Amino acid sequence: MNETKLIEKAIEAMSKAYAPYSKFKVGAALLTKSGRIFTGCNVENASFGLSICAERVAIFSAVAAGEVQFEKLVVVANTDSPVSPCGACRQVMSEFGDFEVLLVNTRREVVRTRVSELLPRAFKLREG
């Protein structure tokens, strides 16, 4: 999978974000080991606790489609600097292994990391 294409998919997903309160738009594109791509955008709610991040939308969509082995996740935000996933997203990501994560900003600057770097010593009930 061409990394540029994956970044473009995340940017496209970001354009669909529903963020009327914070104006903080995020998109994600998840590449599975089988080669499928799942995208997600953040969706806010007036009751902020009911909002969901782009990363979890992409991961949950993949799981709902029967995919649980991930290769790479691109997270892009409408910011000057690449942004890192929140703690809840890091925990969800860690459930599915130590895959590569690319953090991207609107200028397409990329910070490369891995799930294990984002959440060292993650809480786990099983190895996986």
Side-chain angles (χ1 to χ4, degrees), residues 8-22:
E8 290 304 319
K9 292 278 189 186
I11 291 170
E12 182 182 326
M14 179 180 66
S15 73
K16 298 173 184 171
Y18 180 75
Y21 307 105
S22 72

Side-chain angles (χ1 to χ4, degrees), residues 3-45:
E3 220 167 70
T4 303
K5 181 179 176 185
L6 202 58
I7 291 170
E8 290 304 319
K9 292 278 189 186
I11 291 170
E12 182 182 326
M14 179 180 66
S15 73
K16 298 173 184 171
Y18 180 75
Y21 307 105
S22 72
K23 309 295 188 235
F24 181 66
K25 294 188 173 195
V26 181
L30 177 67
L31 175 64
T32 67
K33 288 195 176 180
S34 70
R36 294 176 72 186
I37 298 173
F38 293 86
T39 60
C41 62
N42 59 317
V43 180
E44 292 181 349
N45 188 278

Side-chain angles (χ1 to χ4, degrees), residues 36-102:
R36 294 176 72 186
I37 298 173
F38 293 86
T39 60
C41 62
N42 59 317
V43 180
E44 292 181 349
N45 188 278
S47 175
F48 274 170
L50 300 178
S51 299
I52 188 166
C53 301
E55 300 93 311
R56 284 182 280 152
V57 171
I59 290 170
F60 296 164
S61 294
V63 171
E67 297 277 356
V68 294
Q69 295 186 326
F70 307 145
E71 186 76 28
K72 188 178 299 191
L73 174 68
V74 172
V75 181
V76 64
N78 62 345
T79 54
D80 291 334
S81 300
V83 231
S84 195
C86 73
C89 287
R90 292 174 191 214
Q91 181 61 44
V92 167
M93 290 160 53
S94 75
E95 182 75 14
F96 299 98
D98 187 24
F99 49 91
E100 186 176 20
V101 181
L102 275 59

